[in-house]
PDB file of all heavy atoms in Angstrom:
ATOM      1  N   LYS A1366     -17.164  36.805  30.533  1.00  0.00           N
ATOM      2  CA  LYS A1366     -17.160  36.400  31.937  1.00  0.00           C
ATOM      3  C   LYS A1366     -16.821  34.925  31.986  1.00  0.00           C
ATOM      4  O   LYS A1366     -17.471  34.111  31.327  1.00  0.00           O
ATOM      5  CB  LYS A1366     -18.516  36.656  32.588  1.00  0.00           C
ATOM      6  CG  LYS A1366     -18.537  36.307  34.072  1.00  0.00           C
ATOM      7  CD  LYS A1366     -19.820  36.761  34.751  1.00  0.00           C
ATOM      8  CE  LYS A1366     -20.981  35.857  34.408  1.00  0.00           C
ATOM      9  NZ  LYS A1366     -22.187  36.183  35.204  1.00  0.00           N
ATOM     10  N   ARG A1367     -15.811  34.585  32.759  1.00  0.00           N
ATOM     11  CA  ARG A1367     -15.326  33.208  32.809  1.00  0.00           C
ATOM     12  C   ARG A1367     -15.721  32.559  34.135  1.00  0.00           C
ATOM     13  O   ARG A1367     -15.590  33.166  35.197  1.00  0.00           O
ATOM     14  CB  ARG A1367     -13.817  33.161  32.632  1.00  0.00           C
ATOM     15  CG  ARG A1367     -13.343  33.847  31.358  1.00  0.00           C
ATOM     16  CD  ARG A1367     -11.868  33.636  31.124  1.00  0.00           C
ATOM     17  NE  ARG A1367     -11.049  34.189  32.191  1.00  0.00           N
ATOM     18  CZ  ARG A1367      -9.733  34.040  32.267  1.00  0.00           C
ATOM     19  NH1 ARG A1367      -9.096  33.329  31.355  1.00  0.00           N
ATOM     20  NH2 ARG A1367      -9.044  34.582  33.252  1.00  0.00           N
ATOM     21  N   THR A1368     -16.163  31.321  34.043  1.00  0.00           N
ATOM     22  CA  THR A1368     -16.542  30.570  35.239  1.00  0.00           C
ATOM     23  C   THR A1368     -15.770  29.263  35.245  1.00  0.00           C
ATOM     24  O   THR A1368     -15.762  28.545  34.233  1.00  0.00           O
ATOM     25  CB  THR A1368     -18.048  30.269  35.241  1.00  0.00           C
ATOM     26  OG1 THR A1368     -18.766  31.497  35.109  1.00  0.00           O
ATOM     27  CG2 THR A1368     -18.461  29.569  36.523  1.00  0.00           C
ATOM     28  N   PRO A1369     -15.090  28.940  36.361  1.00  0.00           N
ATOM     29  CA  PRO A1369     -14.345  27.674  36.406  1.00  0.00           C
ATOM     30  C   PRO A1369     -15.284  26.478  36.235  1.00  0.00           C
ATOM     31  O   PRO A1369     -16.502  26.578  36.446  1.00  0.00           O
ATOM     32  CB  PRO A1369     -13.718  27.683  37.806  1.00  0.00           C
ATOM     33  CG  PRO A1369     -13.779  29.097  38.264  1.00  0.00           C
ATOM     34  CD  PRO A1369     -14.976  29.700  37.612  1.00  0.00           C
ATOM     35  N   ALA A1370     -14.714  25.348  35.865  1.00  0.00           N
ATOM     36  CA  ALA A1370     -15.484  24.105  35.781  1.00  0.00           C
ATOM     37  C   ALA A1370     -16.193  23.870  37.109  1.00  0.00           C
ATOM     38  O   ALA A1370     -15.596  23.994  38.177  1.00  0.00           O
ATOM     39  CB  ALA A1370     -14.553  22.940  35.457  1.00  0.00           C
ATOM     40  N   HIS A1371     -17.474  23.547  37.033  1.00  0.00           N
ATOM     41  CA  HIS A1371     -18.261  23.384  38.253  1.00  0.00           C
ATOM     42  C   HIS A1371     -19.454  22.486  37.988  1.00  0.00           C
ATOM     43  O   HIS A1371     -19.813  22.209  36.832  1.00  0.00           O
ATOM     44  CB  HIS A1371     -18.751  24.747  38.764  1.00  0.00           C
ATOM     45  CG  HIS A1371     -19.712  25.405  37.818  1.00  0.00           C
ATOM     46  ND1 HIS A1371     -19.296  26.083  36.693  1.00  0.00           N
ATOM     47  CD2 HIS A1371     -21.076  25.474  37.821  1.00  0.00           C
ATOM     48  CE1 HIS A1371     -20.338  26.562  36.045  1.00  0.00           C
ATOM     49  NE2 HIS A1371     -21.448  26.200  36.717  1.00  0.00           N
ATOM     50  N   VAL A1372     -20.079  22.042  39.062  1.00  0.00           N
ATOM     51  CA  VAL A1372     -21.338  21.316  38.968  1.00  0.00           C
ATOM     52  C   VAL A1372     -22.324  21.957  39.941  1.00  0.00           C
ATOM     53  O   VAL A1372     -21.935  22.595  40.919  1.00  0.00           O
ATOM     54  CB  VAL A1372     -21.167  19.816  39.290  1.00  0.00           C
ATOM     55  CG1 VAL A1372     -20.385  19.119  38.185  1.00  0.00           C
ATOM     56  CG2 VAL A1372     -20.491  19.610  40.636  1.00  0.00           C
ATOM     57  N   ILE A1373     -23.615  21.763  39.664  1.00  0.00           N
ATOM     58  CA  ILE A1373     -24.676  22.288  40.520  1.00  0.00           C
ATOM     59  C   ILE A1373     -25.503  21.118  41.016  1.00  0.00           C
ATOM     60  O   ILE A1373     -25.994  20.296  40.217  1.00  0.00           O
ATOM     61  CB  ILE A1373     -25.565  23.287  39.762  1.00  0.00           C
ATOM     62  CG1 ILE A1373     -24.704  24.461  39.259  1.00  0.00           C
ATOM     63  CG2 ILE A1373     -26.702  23.791  40.645  1.00  0.00           C
ATOM     64  CD1 ILE A1373     -25.455  25.437  38.370  1.00  0.00           C
ATOM     65  N   GLY A1374     -25.618  20.997  42.323  1.00  0.00           N
ATOM     66  CA  GLY A1374     -26.305  19.861  42.917  1.00  0.00           C
ATOM     67  C   GLY A1374     -27.794  19.811  42.610  1.00  0.00           C
ATOM     68  O   GLY A1374     -28.426  20.837  42.338  1.00  0.00           O
ATOM     69  N   ASP A1375     -28.320  18.577  42.650  1.00  0.00           N
ATOM     70  CA  ASP A1375     -29.766  18.382  42.483  1.00  0.00           C
ATOM     71  C   ASP A1375     -30.387  17.658  43.663  1.00  0.00           C
ATOM     72  O   ASP A1375     -31.564  17.285  43.640  1.00  0.00           O
ATOM     73  CB  ASP A1375     -30.056  17.601  41.191  1.00  0.00           C
ATOM     74  CG  ASP A1375     -29.393  16.222  41.175  1.00  0.00           C
ATOM     75  OD1 ASP A1375     -28.828  15.806  42.215  1.00  0.00           O
ATOM     76  OD2 ASP A1375     -29.428  15.556  40.121  1.00  0.00           O
ATOM     77  N   GLY A1376     -29.557  17.438  44.732  1.00  0.00           N
ATOM     78  CA  GLY A1376     -30.051  16.765  45.920  1.00  0.00           C
ATOM     79  C   GLY A1376     -30.152  15.261  45.778  1.00  0.00           C
ATOM     80  O   GLY A1376     -30.516  14.564  46.734  1.00  0.00           O
ATOM     81  N   LYS A1377     -29.786  14.710  44.605  1.00  0.00           N
ATOM     82  CA  LYS A1377     -29.898  13.261  44.377  1.00  0.00           C
ATOM     83  C   LYS A1377     -28.595  12.646  43.851  1.00  0.00           C
ATOM     84  O   LYS A1377     -28.265  11.512  44.187  1.00  0.00           O
ATOM     85  CB  LYS A1377     -31.016  12.966  43.366  1.00  0.00           C
ATOM     86  CG  LYS A1377     -32.398  13.405  43.818  1.00  0.00           C
ATOM     87  CD  LYS A1377     -33.436  13.148  42.734  1.00  0.00           C
ATOM     88  CE  LYS A1377     -33.189  14.054  41.533  1.00  0.00           C
ATOM     89  NZ  LYS A1377     -34.239  13.900  40.492  1.00  0.00           N
ATOM     90  N   SER A1378     -27.884  13.394  43.031  1.00  0.00           N
ATOM     91  CA  SER A1378     -26.719  12.834  42.340  1.00  0.00           C
ATOM     92  C   SER A1378     -25.429  13.100  43.098  1.00  0.00           C
ATOM     93  O   SER A1378     -25.278  14.130  43.769  1.00  0.00           O
ATOM     94  CB  SER A1378     -26.603  13.435  40.937  1.00  0.00           C
ATOM     95  OG  SER A1378     -27.789  13.260  40.211  1.00  0.00           O
ATOM     96  N   THR A1379     -24.472  12.170  42.958  1.00  0.00           N
ATOM     97  CA  THR A1379     -23.147  12.371  43.538  1.00  0.00           C
ATOM     98  C   THR A1379     -22.372  13.368  42.687  1.00  0.00           C
ATOM     99  O   THR A1379     -22.750  13.671  41.543  1.00  0.00           O
ATOM    100  CB  THR A1379     -22.364  11.052  43.596  1.00  0.00           C
ATOM    101  OG1 THR A1379     -22.095  10.625  42.242  1.00  0.00           O
ATOM    102  CG2 THR A1379     -23.133   9.971  44.346  1.00  0.00           C
ATOM    103  N   VAL A1380     -21.270  13.842  43.248  1.00  0.00           N
ATOM    104  CA  VAL A1380     -20.412  14.768  42.499  1.00  0.00           C
ATOM    105  C   VAL A1380     -19.963  14.131  41.190  1.00  0.00           C
ATOM    106  O   VAL A1380     -19.980  14.772  40.125  1.00  0.00           O
ATOM    107  CB  VAL A1380     -19.210  15.194  43.361  1.00  0.00           C
ATOM    108  CG1 VAL A1380     -18.216  16.002  42.526  1.00  0.00           C
ATOM    109  CG2 VAL A1380     -19.664  15.993  44.583  1.00  0.00           C
ATOM    110  N   GLN A1381     -19.544  12.873  41.240  1.00  0.00           N
ATOM    111  CA  GLN A1381     -19.089  12.184  40.029  1.00  0.00           C
ATOM    112  C   GLN A1381     -20.211  12.074  39.004  1.00  0.00           C
ATOM    113  O   GLN A1381     -20.006  12.284  37.807  1.00  0.00           O
ATOM    114  CB  GLN A1381     -18.558  10.792  40.366  1.00  0.00           C
ATOM    115  CG  GLN A1381     -17.991  10.039  39.169  1.00  0.00           C
ATOM    116  CD  GLN A1381     -16.785  10.725  38.555  1.00  0.00           C
ATOM    117  OE1 GLN A1381     -15.749  10.863  39.195  1.00  0.00           O
ATOM    118  NE2 GLN A1381     -16.906  11.161  37.306  1.00  0.00           N
ATOM    119  N   GLN A1382     -21.420  11.768  39.468  1.00  0.00           N
ATOM    120  CA  GLN A1382     -22.558  11.665  38.551  1.00  0.00           C
ATOM    121  C   GLN A1382     -22.882  13.019  37.919  1.00  0.00           C
ATOM    122  O   GLN A1382     -23.240  13.099  36.743  1.00  0.00           O
ATOM    123  CB  GLN A1382     -23.780  11.117  39.302  1.00  0.00           C
ATOM    124  CG  GLN A1382     -23.673   9.637  39.645  1.00  0.00           C
ATOM    125  CD  GLN A1382     -24.761   9.169  40.589  1.00  0.00           C
ATOM    126  OE1 GLN A1382     -25.371   9.974  41.300  1.00  0.00           O
ATOM    127  NE2 GLN A1382     -25.013   7.856  40.588  1.00  0.00           N
ATOM    128  N   LEU A1383     -22.740  14.071  38.721  1.00  0.00           N
ATOM    129  CA  LEU A1383     -22.973  15.410  38.179  1.00  0.00           C
ATOM    130  C   LEU A1383     -21.943  15.768  37.112  1.00  0.00           C
ATOM    131  O   LEU A1383     -22.271  16.382  36.085  1.00  0.00           O
ATOM    132  CB  LEU A1383     -22.948  16.438  39.311  1.00  0.00           C
ATOM    133  CG  LEU A1383     -24.108  16.367  40.315  1.00  0.00           C
ATOM    134  CD1 LEU A1383     -23.827  17.279  41.499  1.00  0.00           C
ATOM    135  CD2 LEU A1383     -25.437  16.743  39.649  1.00  0.00           C
ATOM    136  N   ILE A1384     -20.675  15.385  37.364  1.00  0.00           N
ATOM    137  CA  ILE A1384     -19.612  15.639  36.368  1.00  0.00           C
ATOM    138  C   ILE A1384     -19.910  14.870  35.081  1.00  0.00           C
ATOM    139  O   ILE A1384     -19.804  15.406  33.971  1.00  0.00           O
ATOM    140  CB  ILE A1384     -18.232  15.248  36.935  1.00  0.00           C
ATOM    141  CG1 ILE A1384     -17.855  16.184  38.091  1.00  0.00           C
ATOM    142  CG2 ILE A1384     -17.168  15.286  35.838  1.00  0.00           C
ATOM    143  CD1 ILE A1384     -16.609  15.752  38.833  1.00  0.00           C
ATOM    144  N   ASP A1385     -20.311  13.607  35.250  1.00  0.00           N
ATOM    145  CA  ASP A1385     -20.624  12.787  34.071  1.00  0.00           C
ATOM    146  C   ASP A1385     -21.779  13.392  33.280  1.00  0.00           C
ATOM    147  O   ASP A1385     -21.778  13.391  32.042  1.00  0.00           O
ATOM    148  CB  ASP A1385     -20.982  11.364  34.497  1.00  0.00           C
ATOM    149  CG  ASP A1385     -19.801  10.621  35.105  1.00  0.00           C
ATOM    150  OD1 ASP A1385     -18.655  11.057  34.860  1.00  0.00           O
ATOM    151  OD2 ASP A1385     -20.031   9.618  35.809  1.00  0.00           O
ATOM    152  N   LYS A1386     -22.766  13.934  33.995  1.00  0.00           N
ATOM    153  CA  LYS A1386     -23.910  14.545  33.332  1.00  0.00           C
ATOM    154  C   LYS A1386     -23.478  15.782  32.545  1.00  0.00           C
ATOM    155  O   LYS A1386     -23.898  15.988  31.405  1.00  0.00           O
ATOM    156  CB  LYS A1386     -24.967  14.907  34.373  1.00  0.00           C
ATOM    157  CG  LYS A1386     -26.248  15.476  33.777  1.00  0.00           C
ATOM    158  CD  LYS A1386     -27.275  15.773  34.861  1.00  0.00           C
ATOM    159  CE  LYS A1386     -28.550  16.361  34.264  1.00  0.00           C
ATOM    160  NZ  LYS A1386     -29.546  16.670  35.330  1.00  0.00           N
ATOM    161  N   VAL A1387     -22.623  16.614  33.167  1.00  0.00           N
ATOM    162  CA  VAL A1387     -22.116  17.800  32.481  1.00  0.00           C
ATOM    163  C   VAL A1387     -21.343  17.403  31.225  1.00  0.00           C
ATOM    164  O   VAL A1387     -21.479  18.025  30.164  1.00  0.00           O
ATOM    165  CB  VAL A1387     -21.225  18.638  33.424  1.00  0.00           C
ATOM    166  CG1 VAL A1387     -20.473  19.708  32.642  1.00  0.00           C
ATOM    167  CG2 VAL A1387     -22.064  19.276  34.524  1.00  0.00           C
ATOM    168  N   ASN A1388     -20.539  16.339  31.333  1.00  0.00           N
ATOM    169  CA  ASN A1388     -19.705  15.910  30.205  1.00  0.00           C
ATOM    170  C   ASN A1388     -20.516  15.328  29.052  1.00  0.00           C
ATOM    171  O   ASN A1388     -19.995  15.171  27.948  1.00  0.00           O
ATOM    172  CB  ASN A1388     -18.654  14.905  30.669  1.00  0.00           C
ATOM    173  CG  ASN A1388     -17.487  15.581  31.362  1.00  0.00           C
ATOM    174  OD1 ASN A1388     -17.240  16.775  31.167  1.00  0.00           O
ATOM    175  ND2 ASN A1388     -16.759  14.835  32.178  1.00  0.00           N
ATOM    176  N   LYS A1389     -21.796  14.993  29.308  1.00  0.00           N
ATOM    177  CA  LYS A1389     -22.644  14.478  28.235  1.00  0.00           C
ATOM    178  C   LYS A1389     -23.164  15.599  27.335  1.00  0.00           C
ATOM    179  O   LYS A1389     -23.755  15.338  26.293  1.00  0.00           O
ATOM    180  CB  LYS A1389     -23.816  13.687  28.824  1.00  0.00           C
ATOM    181  CG  LYS A1389     -23.415  12.335  29.398  1.00  0.00           C
ATOM    182  CD  LYS A1389     -24.615  11.595  29.968  1.00  0.00           C
ATOM    183  CE  LYS A1389     -24.182  10.252  30.559  1.00  0.00           C
ATOM    184  NZ  LYS A1389     -25.327   9.531  31.185  1.00  0.00           N
ATOM    185  N   ASP A1390     -22.973  16.825  27.757  1.00  0.00           N
ATOM    186  CA  ASP A1390     -23.352  17.969  26.931  1.00  0.00           C
ATOM    187  C   ASP A1390     -22.671  17.839  25.569  1.00  0.00           C
ATOM    188  O   ASP A1390     -21.436  17.749  25.492  1.00  0.00           O
ATOM    189  CB  ASP A1390     -22.907  19.260  27.627  1.00  0.00           C
ATOM    190  CG  ASP A1390     -23.365  20.521  26.886  1.00  0.00           C
ATOM    191  OD1 ASP A1390     -23.614  20.442  25.669  1.00  0.00           O
ATOM    192  OD2 ASP A1390     -23.439  21.578  27.530  1.00  0.00           O
TER     193      ASP A1390
END
Side-chain angles (χ1 to χ4, degrees):
K1366 183 171 76 172
R1367 305 187 299 175
T1368 305
H1371 65 280
V1372 290
I1373 300 174
D1375 59 8
K1377 298 177 293 184
S1378 305
T1379 66
V1380 172
Q1381 183 63 64
Q1382 288 170 339
L1383 292 170
I1384 293 172
D1385 293 341
K1386 184 178 179 181
V1387 168
N1388 282 338
K1389 287 180 181 177
D1390 185 336

